[in-house]
C-alpha cells in the first residue's frame, strides 16, 4: 500500500513537472489525490479547497512543517525540511524546529505535544519518522521512539471543499514497562515566522458569553484553556490568528481552528524568539495524567484548522460550511430548526399539565412547531435544591404522566421536547441517597456544590450504564422528539476513589468518552431524536458535542440587545444552523432592559427562532405581531440558518449599530438585519453594502420591518445593492429593521 502510494505520488509529480508553464488547469485534472508524498524530497503535501499544507521529514527524522497557506500550483517545488540553524550553546539544532508533533526529549525547548514519564524514571522521548499510509483520503504518519517503545500515529483528514484539515494522534505503549502521559496534545500547527500577528479568541461567563477579544502576538505564550472538566465559557476551544495590520471581515490572511472536545482542553499559542508561532491543542495538561500499561494506547481528540486569504468573515463561513457538511449529525443535510416554545422564563419550575396544555394551544396558534417542557417536571423538583437524578414524572404536576400533554402537543401539529440534566444529582434526591459514591469526589474530602448539585462520575461504567438506561426508558415510554440536554456546573474535587490513585486522572478522558457514547447510543436507538446541548447557556459548545447534537443554546441571557453581541461572537466559530435564540418577556429578567416585540423578534430571527415569553399574557395585538414574524421567519429561515453569513457592522464592545446579511446557498435570497441599540444625535444610519450577491442578477427587495430611505428601488441589480447599498431609517434607541432580497432573474443587466 505504502510503496504503491509513494510510486503513484512520484509519477504524479513527474507528470505535473513535465507539463511546463501552463500547469494549473491541467494539473488540476491530474491532481485527483488531495494528499501526496514526494518520496525523493520526503515531503507530504495536502491540497484542498484553497489551501496547501505541507510538511517534510528532516535529516534528523523529525516531521517538520513546511508550508500552510493559500493553494500553490501543483508543480511548485516545496523545500526539503531543514531545521533552524543552531544559534548558541543554549539553542542547538532541534531546540526549536517547527515539528508537527514533538515529544519532550533531546534538546527541545518549544512546547512539546507529548510529555511522558516511564516507570523506570526515564522522561526522555524523541519521536522520529517511521512510515506512512494513505487510505480512503486520509493520511496516517507513524512516528516512534524505538528505544523507549513508544509509537505515535498522526492522523490527517482533509475536507476537499473548505481545506479544513483534522489532526489527531494515537499514542501506544510498546515498551515492557508502564508509561504515564503527562501531556498529550492532538496536534501542533506551525505558522510562518512573522512579527505582525494578532490572536482572536472567545471569552465570557454565564449570561455574558462569546465576547471576541484580539491581542497582538509577541514572544511569549497565551494559554486558552478550560480546567473545568467540560468545555466552559471562560474561553471557547477556537482560535484565529491574523497577519498584518490590514485584516478585517473580508481581507487578510487568517489561520483558524477548533478542538472537537467537550472536556478540559487547552490551546497553547506560543511565539518563540525566532518569531515562529506554534498552536498546540488537545487535552488540558493541567491535572492531566494517563497511564498506559504495555500494549495500551490513547487517542486524542481531533484538532481542526483551516486558512483563508479573505479575512475573518470568510474564516467563519468556512467553519460554518465545514460544521454543516462534516460535523453535525445530519452530515451535509442539516434539518431546519423548527420554531419552538419553552416556558422556562415564564413559569420556572412551576410546570403542570393544565398550564402547559394551555401554553401549547396558544403556541400552536402562533405558528410554533415544537413545544418543550423545561426543568421541573420530575421527582421533587420544585426548585433547584432537590430532585435532580430522579427522572420519574412528578405526579402532582402531571397526574396522568406526560402522555396527555404529549398527545395534545402532537394533535396540535407540534413535536414534543423535554429538558433533562442527566449528568447531575442533587444531594436531596433518591438517587444520591442510594448512591452517594456515584459522584466525583476525593475520599474523605468535602464535596463542593454548584447550584445545589454534584456531578455524577460518568467515567464509572455503572454510572454511565445507569444514565443511558434511564434516558433510554424515558424515550421508549414517551413519544419524545427532542431533548434539551443541560449541564449546569463545573467539576470540583474531580476524584475517582474507586480507581487506583495513578489512574484516577483518567476521569478527564473517560467521562467525556462515556458521555459521547451515551448520546451516540441513544440516537441509534431513537433515530428521530434531536438534541440540544445546553450548559447553563453556552458553556458546552464545541465541535465534539456538535457531532452528536442538532443545536446549542448560546446563552441564558435572552436580552435582545445583549444577544446581538452574544450571537455575533458565537458566529466567529459556530454556524447559525445550530444557534438557538428566543423571544422572551420585556423588561428582560437579566438586566431589566425593555424592548419592543419587533426588536426582540428580529434579534432572535438571526438564529433558530424560539419563543420563551409568557404568551398566555400576550394581547391580541401582540399575538398578531408574533404570528406575522413567525410566518416571515419560516420564509427566510433556510437562508438564515444554512446560508453564507456576512457580518456587516459589528456589535462588539457595546457598539450602537450592528448589521448582518445571510445569502442562501443557492443564491436566490438574501436577508438583511440592522439594529440600533442607541440613537446618536439624530445621525443617519450608515449605508449598508450587501455582499455575496450576483452582480448581474436582479433582486426584488421587501421590508420585513422598518423603513428604507425614500427612493429605494423595489428592484435593482446585485451590483446596485452591493455598491450603491441601501439606506435604512433607524434613528431611535432600540430600533431595528430587516429586509429580504429575492433574486428574480439576470436578463438585461449589463454593466456600462
Ligand atoms: C439552565 C438553562 O440554560 C435554562 O435554559 C434552563 O433550562 C435552566 N437551566 C433550567 O434549570
Amino acid at each position: 500500500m505504502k510503496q504503491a502510494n509513494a510510486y503513484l505520488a512520484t509519477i504524479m509529480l513527474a507528470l505535473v513537472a513535465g507539463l511546463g508553464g501552463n500547469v494549473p488547469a491541467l494539473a488540476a485534472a491530474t491532481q485527483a489525490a488531495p494528499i501526496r508524498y514526494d518520496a525523493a524530497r520526503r515531503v507530504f503535501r495536502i491540497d484542498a479547497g484553497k489551501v496547501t499544507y505541507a510538511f517534510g521529514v528532516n535529516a534528523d527524522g523529525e516531521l517538520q512543517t513546511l508550508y500552510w497557506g493559500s493553494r500553490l500550483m501543483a508543480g511548485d517545488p516545496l523545500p526539503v525540511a531543514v531545521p533552524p540553524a543552531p544559534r548558541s550553546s543554549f539553542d542547538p539544532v532541534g531546540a526549536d524546529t517547527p515539528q508537527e508533533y514533538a515529544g519532550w526529549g533531546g534538546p527541545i525547548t518549544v512546547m512539546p505535544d507529548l510529555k511522558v514519564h516511564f516507570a523506570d524514571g526515564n522522561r526522555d522521548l524523541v519521536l522520529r519518522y517511521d512510515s506512512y499510509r494513505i487510505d480512503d483520503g486520509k493520511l496516517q504518519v507513524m512516528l516512534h521512539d524505538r528505544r523507549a517503545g513508544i509509537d505515535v500515529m498522526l492522523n490527517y483528514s482533509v475536507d476537499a471543499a473548505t481545506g479544513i484539515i483534522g489532526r489527531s494522534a494515537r499514542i501506544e505503549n510498546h515498551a515492557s514497562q508502564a508509561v504515564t502521559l503527562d501531556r498529550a496534545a492532538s496536534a501542533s500547527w506551525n505558522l510562518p515566522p512573522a512579527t505582525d500577528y494578532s490572536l482572536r479568541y472567545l471569552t465570557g461567563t454565564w449570561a455574558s458569553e462569546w465576547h471576541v477579544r484580539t491581542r497582538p502576538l509577541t514572544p511569549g505564550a497565551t494559554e486558552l484553556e478550560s480546567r473545568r472538566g467540560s468545555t466552559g465559557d471562560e474561553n471557547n476551544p477556537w482560535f484565529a490568528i491574523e497577519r498584518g495590520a490590514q485584516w478585517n471581515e473580508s481581507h487578510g490572511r487568517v489561520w483558524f481552528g477548533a478542538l472537537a472536545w467537550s472536556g478540559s482542553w487547552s490551546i497553547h499559542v506560543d511565539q518563540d524568539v525566532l518569531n515562529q508561532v506554534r498552536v498546540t491543542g488537545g487535552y488540558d495538561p493541567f491535572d492531566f495524567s494517563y497511564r498506559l500499561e504495555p500494549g495500551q494506547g490513547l487517542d486524542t481528540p481531533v484538532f481542526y484548522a483551516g486558512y483563508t486569504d479573505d479575512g475573518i468573515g470568510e474564516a467563519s463561513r468556512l467553519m460554518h460550511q465545514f460544521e454543516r457538511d462534516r460535523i453535525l449529525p445530519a452530515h451535509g443535510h442539516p434539518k431546519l430548526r423548527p420554531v419552538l416554545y419553552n416556558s422556562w422564563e415564564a413559569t420556572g419550575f412551576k410546570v403542570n399539565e393544565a398550564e402547559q396544555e394551555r401554553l401549547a394551544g396558544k403556541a400552536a396558534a402562533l405558528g410554533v412547531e415544537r413545544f418543550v417542557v423545561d426543568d421541573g417536571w420530575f421527582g421533587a423538583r420544585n426548585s433547584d435544591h432537590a430532585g435532580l437524578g430522579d427522572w420519574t414524572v412528578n405526579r402532582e404536576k402531571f397526574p396522568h404522566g406526560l402522555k396527555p400533554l404529549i398527545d395534545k402537543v402532537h394533535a396540535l401539529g407540534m413535536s414534543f421536547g423535554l429538558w433533562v440534566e442527566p449528568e447531575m444529582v442533587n444531594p436531596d434526591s433518591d438517587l444520591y441517597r442510594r448512591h452517594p459514591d456515584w459522584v466525583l469526589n476525593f475520599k474523605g474530602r468535602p464535596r463542593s456544590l454548584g447550584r445545589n448539585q454534584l456531578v455524577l462520575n460518568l467515567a464509572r461504567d455503572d454510572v454511565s450504564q445507569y444514565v443511558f438506561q434511564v434516558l433510554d426508558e424515558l424515550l421508549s415510554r414517551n413519544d419524545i422528539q427532542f431533548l434539551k440536554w443541560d449541564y449546569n456546573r463545573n467539576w470540583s474535587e474531580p476524584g475517582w476513589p474507586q480507581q487506583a490513585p495513578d489512574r484516577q486522572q483518567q476521569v478527564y478522558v473517560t467521562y467525556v468518552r462515556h458521555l459521547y457514547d451515551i448520546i451516540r447510543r441513544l440516537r441509534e436507538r431513537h433515530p428521530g431524536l434531536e438534541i440540544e446541548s445546553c450548559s447553563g447557556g453556552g458553556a458546552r459548545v464545541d465541535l465534539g458535542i456538535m457531532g452528536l447534537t442538532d443545536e446549542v443554546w448560546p446563552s441564558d441571557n435572552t436580552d435582545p440587545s445583549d444577544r446581538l453581541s452574544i450571537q455575533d461572537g458565537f458566529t466567529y466559530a459556530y454556524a447559525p444552523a445550530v444557534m438557538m435564540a428566543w423571544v422572551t418577556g420585556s423588561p428582560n429578567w437579566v438586566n431589566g432592559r425593555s424592548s419592543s416585540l419587533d426588536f426582540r423578534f428580529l434579534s432572535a430571527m438571526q438564529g433558530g427562532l424560539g419563543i420563551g415569553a409568557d404568551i398566555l399574557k400576550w394581547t391580541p395585538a401582540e399575538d398578531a405581531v408574533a404570528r406575522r414574524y413567525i410566518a416571515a421567519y419560516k420564509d427566510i429561515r433556510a437562508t438564515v440558518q444554512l446560508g453564507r453569513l456576512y457580518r456587516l457592522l459589528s456589535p462588539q464592545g457595546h457598539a450602537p449599530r450592528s448589521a448582518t446579511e445571510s445569502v442562501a446557498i443557492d443564491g436566490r435570497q438574501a436577508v438583511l438585519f440592522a439594529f440600533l441599540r442607541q440613537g446618536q444625535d439624530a445621525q443617519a444610519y450608515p449605508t449598508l453594502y450587501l455582499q455575496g450577491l450576483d452582480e448581474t442578477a436582479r433582486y426584488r427587495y421587501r421590508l420585513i420591518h422598518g423603513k428604507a430611505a425614500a427612493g429605494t428601488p423595489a428592484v435593482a441589480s446585485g451590483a446596485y445593492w452591493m455598491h450603491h447599498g441601501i439606506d435604512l431609517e433607524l434613528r431611535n434607541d432600540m430600533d431595528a429593521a430587516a429586509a429580504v432580497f429575492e433574486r428574480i432573474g439576470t436578463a438585461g443587466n449589463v454593466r456600462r
Side-chain angles (χ1 to χ4, degrees), residues 344 349 374-375 381 419 451 484 486 488 534 536-537 553 556 582:
W344 170 249
F349 295 97
D374 210 281
D375 202 347
R381 188 72 169 167
W419 180 94
R451 207 193 188 203
K484 174 174 173 179
D486 210 344
N488 279 301
C534 171
W553 183 231
D556 275 359
W582 296 354

Side-chain angles (χ1 to χ4, degrees), residues 200-203 209-213 236 238 316 320 554 562-575 579 645 647 650-652 660:
R200 266 188 215 229
Y201 59 102
L202 294 161
T203 179
E209 299 92 337
W210 306 106
H211 294 282
V212 183
R213 297 275 187 260
N236 184 271
W238 170 88
S316 297
H320 300 169
D562 286 357
R563 266 284 176 148
L564 296 176
S565 313
I566 287 170
Q567 294 171 181
D568 174 82
F570 181 96
T571 65
Y572 276 76
Y574 303 109
M579 181 180 80
L645 175 73
R647 293 180 292 251
S650 169
Q652 293 294 321
T660 63

